[in-house]
Amino acid sequence: MEELRRAYSRLCKESGAEPQESVLQQLQELSRGRLDLATQSLTVDSCRALGKLLQKGSLLTELILSDCMLSEEGATLLLQGLCVNTVVRFLDLKGNNLRATGAEALGKLLRQNKSIQSLTLEWNSLGTWEEAFATFCGALAANSALRQLDLRNNQISHKGAEELALALKSNASLQQLDLRWNHIGLLGGRALVNCLPSNRTLWRLELAGNSIPGDVLRAVEQAMDHNQDRQTAFRENQARTHVLSKEVQHLREEKSKQFLDLMETIDRQREEMARSSRASAVRVGQLQEALDERHSVIKALKAKLQMAEAALALSEQKARDLGELLAAAEQERRSQAQRQAKEHRLEQQEAAERESKLLRDLSAANEKNLLLRNQVDELERKAKSQQEQLFLARQELSNTAAELKLRAVQAEERLELEKKRSRQSLEDSEHLRFTEVPHWSRSLAFAPHLKVGEPACRPHPCAPQVEHMTRHLEESERAMQERVQRLEAARLSLEEELSRAKAAALSERSQAEEELVKAKNQVRLEEQQRLAHLEEKLRLLAQARDEAQSACLQQKQTVADAQARASQLGVQVEGLQRRLEELQQELSNKDQEKVAEVTRVRVELQEQKGRLKAELTAQEALKEKVAALERQLKVIASDHREALLDRESENASLREKLRLKEAEIARIRDEEAQRASFLQNAVLAYVQGSPLRTLSPQK
C-alpha cells in the first residue's frame, strides 16, 4: 500500500501538481485491492496520476469513483489508464455526469480492456448524445469480459435502446443489464424484446420506469426466465459431461493398464520360452555329442548285434511317441485356432446386432420426435382455429351489442315521442273536460247509448305498442345476456381444452425424456455387459495360454525323459565297451573266421548310422515345429492386440454418435420450448389485448 502511495506522490510531482490528501489517505487505507474514492473531488492532475498508476498497478481489483464530479478530461485520463489494466474487475462511475466524450472513452475502454466484469454508470448522461452512445454500444457488442452493466438514469431514448439491442445481439458475455428510469418507451422496449431471442447469456434485464407497456415487460421477463433456465441446463450439462469424461478417462486408464500388464506377461512368457529354447538347444548339442561318441563306440562294436538292434527298436518307438505327441499338439493348435476364429465371428455378429439395435432405437426415437412435432403442430392448428372461432364470436357479439344499442336508442326515441303525444292528448282532454262540465247533463241526455260504468274517455291507442316495445327490449336484452353467457362458457371451455392440450404435450414430452433416459441406461448396461464379455474372453485366452504352457512343459518333460534314456544308453554302452574289451581278447584268436561276419556287421552299422541320422533330422524337424508354434503364438497375440484396438475405436465411435444424438435432442428440446413460449406469449397478448376481456364478467 505504501508503494502505491509513493508512486502516486511521485507521479503528481512529475506533472507539477500537489497530491490530494484524501487520495493519499485512501491509498494508505487500501484493503483487499479495493480503492474507494467516492464523493472525492478529483482534479485533472490527480486523474492523470491515477491513470498512469492504474496502467502499472497490480493490486487494485475494485475502483469506486462514484459522485466524484469528474470532468470530461479527467474521466478520459482515468479510462485511458484502465485500457491497459488487466487486474481491475469492478468499476463504479456513478453520478459523474459523463457525456459524449465520456461515452467515447468508455467505448474505447470496453474495446481494449479484457478484465472488467462489472461496470456501474448510474446517474450520468450517456444517452443524451446518440452518436457517442452508439459508439459505446458498438464497443459493448465487441466486449467479451463484461458480466454486469448498470445504466440507470442515463436519459437513454428509444434510439439508444435500439443501439443497445443491436449490441446485445452480438454480445455473448453480458448477464445482467439495468436500464431503469430512462426514456426507452414502447419502440425501445420492442427493439429489446426482438433482440432477446438472439442473446442466450443475458438472464436479468431491469426496465422499470421507462413507460414500457406491461405485455412487453412480461415478454422480457419470460425471455429472461428462458435464458436463466438455459444457463442452468448448460451448467448441468457441463457438469455431467465433465463427470462422464472423467469416467471415460478412468476406463481408458484401466484398459491401458490391463493391456500393459498383458503385454508384460506376454514378454515374460517369450523370455521364458527363449530361455527354454536355449536350454533345449544346449541339451540337443549335448545329445549330439553323445550320439557322436556312441557312433565312435558303435564302429568298434563287433558283437552283440541283437542288443544293438533292440536299442534301435527302442529309439524308433521313442521317435514314434514323439511324432504322436507332435501330431496331438498340432491338432490341439488347429482346434484352438478354430475356436478363436469362431469366437471372433460371434463377436462380429454381436457387434453388428448391437449396432443395428442402436440404429433401430435411434430411428424409433426420431419417429417419436416427429410424432411429437406433428402433435405440437396439430395442437397449434387447433389453437389457431379456436382463436379464429373466438375472434368471430367476439366480432358477432360486438355487432349484436351495437345493434341492440341502436335498437334501444330508437325505442327510447319512439317512447319519448309517444310519451309526448300521450301527455299532449291528456292535456287536451283535461282542457276539454274543464271547459265542458256544465254541458254534461245535456251530453248525457243526448247520449243514451253510453252504458253505466263505461269511461267517458278511452285510453291512448299508443300505450299497448309502448308496452310491447318494452317487453321486446327486455326479452332481447335477456337473450343477448344469455348469448353472452354461452359465449363466455364456450371461451372458458376453449381455454380449458387449450390447457389440457398443453398438459398433454408436457406429459408426452416428459414421457419422451423418460424413454430417452431408459435408452441411455440400456446403452450403458449393454456397454457394461460388453466389457464383461471382453474380460471373459481375456480370461479364456489366458486359460488357453496356460494350457499351451502346460503342453510345452509336457514336451520338456518328454525331452527330459529322452535325455534320461540316453544316459541309460550311455551306461549300457560303457558296459558294452568293457564287454567288448573282453571279447576282443577272445576275437584275437578268431579274426580270420570272422572277417566275413565283420563286413556284414559293417553294412548293418552303416544302416544303423543312417537310422540315427534320420532320428537326428526328425529332432531338427521337431525344433522347427516348436519355432513355428512360437511364431503362431506371436501372431495370435498380435491379432488379439489388434482386436482390442478395434474394440476401443468402435467404443469411441459409438460414444461420439451418442453424444451427437444427445446434442440434437437438446437442440430440438430448446426449439420446442421456445416455440411453446412464443405461442403462450401470443395467446396471452391476444387475450389481454382483445375487447372481450373488458365485457366479460369478473371471475
Side-chain angles (χ1 to χ4, degrees):
M1 313 310 170
E2 187 63 29
E3 182 181 355
L4 291 175
R5 191 170 180 272
R6 288 197 298 269
Y8 171 69
S9 301
R10 179 176 54 80
L11 291 171
C12 288
K13 290 179 181 179
E14 288 178 359
S15 62
E18 291 294 330
Q20 289 182 299
E21 292 297 331
S22 59
V23 177
L24 291 173
Q25 184 179 359
Q26 292 297 328
L27 288 173
Q28 183 67 29
E29 297 175 356
L30 189 65
S31 63
R32 295 183 180 179
R34 187 173 187 272
L35 180 58
D36 190 356
L37 297 176
T39 68
Q40 303 291 335
S41 297
L42 300 179
T43 61
V44 176
D45 296 329
S46 294
C47 292
R48 183 181 291 106
L50 286 173
K52 293 180 180 179
L53 182 64
L54 290 172
Q55 291 179 359
K56 302 177 181 179
S58 60
L59 299 175
L60 298 177
T61 58
E62 296 185 15
L63 183 58
I64 311 299
L65 298 173
S66 60
D67 300 321
C68 289
M69 299 302 293
L70 296 176
S71 62
E72 295 285 340
E73 184 180 359
T76 304
L77 292 172
L78 279 171
L79 295 175
Q80 285 177 357
L82 286 171
C83 286
V84 296
N85 187 281
T86 59
V87 180
V88 175
R89 299 287 184 270
F90 181 83
L91 178 60
D92 189 354
L93 293 173
K94 172 184 174 182
N96 284 290
N97 198 20
L98 297 179
R99 298 176 181 273
T101 307
E104 293 175 354
L106 285 170
K108 184 178 179 182
L109 172 67
L110 291 178
R111 287 185 182 277
Q112 297 181 6
N113 187 279
K114 303 298 180 183
S115 64
I116 294 177
Q117 297 180 358
S118 178
L119 180 59
T120 302
L121 298 172
E122 184 183 359
W123 288 106
N124 286 291
S125 300
L126 299 178
T128 306
W129 285 267
E130 295 178 357
E131 294 181 357
F133 190 70
T135 303
F136 172 78
C137 292
L140 178 62
N143 186 273
S144 62
L146 193 62
R147 299 289 184 272
Q148 184 177 1
L149 179 60
D150 190 351
L151 291 174
R152 289 178 290 176
N153 293 291
N154 270 275
Q155 301 180 11
I156 299 174
S157 62
H158 65 279
K159 293 185 178 179
E162 292 175 356
E163 295 293 335
L164 269 176
L166 292 175
L168 290 176
K169 286 183 179 179
S170 302
N171 187 279
S173 63
L174 190 63
Q175 298 178 356
Q176 300 182 31
L177 178 60
D178 196 345
L179 294 173
R180 289 179 290 179
W181 311 112
N182 285 291
H183 307 294
I184 293 176
L186 176 61
L187 296 177
R190 288 180 178 175
L192 291 172
V193 169
N194 292 331
C195 80
L196 290 178
S198 301
N199 189 299
R200 297 190 176 185
T201 58
L202 188 66
W203 57 269
R204 182 183 177 188
L205 179 60
E206 298 290 342
L207 294 172
N210 281 281
S211 301
I212 297 176
D215 55 347
V216 177
L217 293 176
R218 283 190 293 273
V220 170
E221 290 178 359
Q222 290 176 359
M224 294 299 100
D225 294 338
H226 185 61
N227 284 346
Q228 192 170 4
D229 294 339
R230 184 186 289 113
Q231 291 293 329
T232 304
F234 179 71
R235 287 192 293 269
E236 290 178 356
N237 289 330
Q238 280 186 340
R240 292 176 182 174
T241 304
H242 184 64
V243 172
L244 290 175
S245 63
K246 283 186 177 179
E247 291 181 358
V248 170
Q249 186 67 24
H250 182 65
L251 290 174
R252 287 180 179 175
E253 291 177 357
E254 288 182 354
K255 292 298 179 183
S256 63
K257 288 180 181 178
Q258 292 177 1
F259 183 72
L260 291 175
D261 294 338
L262 181 61
M263 292 301 296
E264 289 178 358
T265 54
I266 291 172
D267 293 336
R268 285 197 297 269
Q269 290 175 2
R270 286 178 180 174
E271 291 177 358
E272 291 177 358
M273 292 177 68
R275 285 197 297 270
S276 63
S277 63
R278 287 194 295 270
S280 62
V282 172
R283 290 177 183 176
V284 169
Q286 292 176 359
L287 289 174
Q288 184 68 32
E289 293 176 358
L291 286 173
D292 293 337
E293 291 177 358
R294 193 171 64 176
H295 287 171
S296 63
V297 171
I298 288 173
K299 286 181 182 180
L301 288 175
K302 294 178 181 180
K304 302 295 182 181
L305 296 176
Q306 293 178 357
M307 295 176 66
E309 289 176 356
L312 288 173
L314 290 174
S315 63
E316 288 176 357
Q317 183 65 31
K318 183 177 66 174
R320 284 194 297 272
D321 294 337
L322 290 174
E324 291 176 356
L325 290 173
L326 183 60
E330 183 68 22
Q331 185 67 26
E332 186 177 0
R333 184 189 62 78
R334 290 177 181 175
S335 63
Q336 187 176 4
Q338 291 176 359
R339 285 199 304 271
Q340 290 180 355
K342 187 176 180 180
E343 290 178 357
H344 185 63
R345 287 194 298 272
L346 289 174
E347 288 177 359
Q348 288 181 351
Q349 292 177 0
E350 290 177 358
E353 290 176 357
R354 282 195 296 272
E355 186 174 1
S356 63
K357 186 177 180 181
L358 288 173
L359 290 174
R360 287 195 299 273
D361 293 339
L362 288 175
S363 62
N366 290 328
E367 291 176 358
K368 189 172 289 184
N369 192 7
L370 290 174
L371 182 61
L372 290 174
R373 286 184 180 177
N374 293 329
Q375 291 178 358
V376 170
D377 295 335
E378 185 67 25
L379 290 174
E380 288 180 356
R381 287 194 296 272
K382 287 183 179 179
K384 288 182 180 179
S385 64
Q386 291 173 0
Q387 288 178 2
E388 291 176 357
Q389 292 176 2
L390 186 62
F391 177 73
L392 292 174
R394 288 177 177 174
Q395 189 174 3
E396 185 178 358
L397 182 61
S398 61
N399 293 330
T400 53
E403 186 177 357
L404 286 174
K405 288 181 181 179
L406 182 59
R407 288 181 180 179
V409 170
Q410 291 176 358
E412 287 178 358
E413 290 179 355
R414 291 173 64 184
L415 183 61
E416 289 295 330
L417 290 174
E418 293 296 332
K419 284 180 179 180
K420 288 180 180 180
R421 290 177 182 176
S422 62
R423 193 179 295 113
Q424 186 66 33
S425 63
L426 287 174
E427 289 178 358
D428 293 339
S429 63
E430 287 292 331
H431 181 69
L432 290 173
R433 186 170 60 83
F434 283 116
T435 54
E436 294 179 358
V437 168
H439 304 282
W440 276 5
S441 58
R442 285 184 296 172
S443 62
L444 289 174
F446 287 103
H449 60 275
L450 291 176
K451 296 180 181 179
V452 179
E454 184 177 357
C457 59
R458 296 181 181 178
H460 198 273
C462 295
Q465 188 176 5
V466 171
E467 292 177 358
H468 179 70
M469 288 299 293
T470 54
R471 284 195 302 272
H472 179 68
L473 286 174
E474 289 174 355
E475 289 175 358
S476 62
E477 186 176 359
R478 283 195 299 272
M480 291 305 297
Q481 288 179 357
E482 290 175 358
R483 190 170 183 181
V484 168
Q485 290 176 359
R486 287 196 300 273
L487 289 174
E488 185 65 24
R491 184 181 67 81
L492 292 176
S493 64
L494 289 175
E495 290 179 352
E496 289 177 356
E497 185 177 359
L498 182 60
S499 64
R500 287 196 298 272
K502 289 182 180 178
L506 290 175
S507 64
E508 290 176 356
R509 186 178 300 167
S510 64
Q511 290 177 1
E513 291 177 352
E514 290 176 359
E515 290 177 357
L516 180 61
V517 171
K518 289 180 182 178
K520 288 182 180 178
N521 293 330
Q522 186 176 2
V523 170
R524 191 179 294 110
L525 181 59
E526 289 178 357
E527 189 68 23
Q528 291 176 358
Q529 292 177 356
R530 189 176 180 184
L531 290 175
H533 183 65
L534 289 176
E535 290 176 355
E536 183 67 19
K537 287 178 66 178
L538 287 173
R539 186 181 63 77
L540 292 175
L541 288 174
Q543 187 176 0
R545 184 196 63 202
D546 295 334
E547 291 176 356
Q549 288 180 355
S550 63
C552 290
L553 290 174
Q554 290 178 0
Q555 290 180 1
K556 289 180 181 179
Q557 186 67 30
T558 55
V559 172
D561 295 335
Q563 289 177 357
R565 291 178 183 177
S567 63
Q568 290 178 2
L569 288 174
V571 173
Q572 291 178 4
V573 168
E574 290 177 357
L576 290 173
Q577 285 179 357
R578 289 192 298 269
R579 184 84 176 271
L580 183 60
E581 289 175 356
E582 294 175 357
L583 291 173
Q584 281 178 356
Q585 291 178 2
E586 294 176 359
L587 288 173
S588 61
N589 297 323
K590 297 180 180 181
D591 288 331
Q592 295 177 358
E593 297 175 357
K594 300 293 182 180
V595 171
E597 188 178 359
V598 168
T599 55
R600 184 176 60 81
V601 170
R602 285 179 180 176
V603 172
E604 291 178 355
L605 287 174
Q606 290 293 331
E607 292 176 358
Q608 188 177 6
K609 185 177 180 181
R611 291 175 183 175
L612 291 174
K613 286 183 179 179
E615 185 179 0
L616 182 62
T617 55
Q619 290 180 356
E620 290 178 354
L622 286 174
K623 290 181 184 178
E624 292 177 356
K625 289 181 179 179
V626 170
L629 287 173
E630 291 178 354
R631 287 194 296 272
Q632 288 178 359
L633 285 174
K634 291 180 181 179
V635 171
I636 290 170
S638 62
D639 293 337
H640 180 64
R641 191 182 298 111
E642 291 176 357
L644 286 175
L645 293 174
D646 293 336
R647 293 296 180 276
E648 290 179 356
S649 62
E650 185 178 359
N651 289 333
S653 63
L654 288 175
R655 290 193 190 96
E656 183 66 20
K657 290 179 180 179
L658 184 60
R659 186 184 65 78
L660 293 174
K661 291 298 179 183
E662 288 178 351
E664 186 177 359
I665 290 170
R667 181 180 60 77
I668 292 171
R669 189 182 302 161
D670 291 338
E671 291 178 357
E672 292 296 331
Q674 189 175 7
R675 289 178 61 189
S677 64
F678 285 164
L679 180 60
Q680 185 177 4
N681 293 334
V683 171
L684 289 174
Y686 181 81
V687 171
Q688 291 174 358
S690 63
L692 183 60
R693 189 168 184 267
T694 59
L695 296 175
S696 62
Q698 296 293 329
K699 294 183 181 180

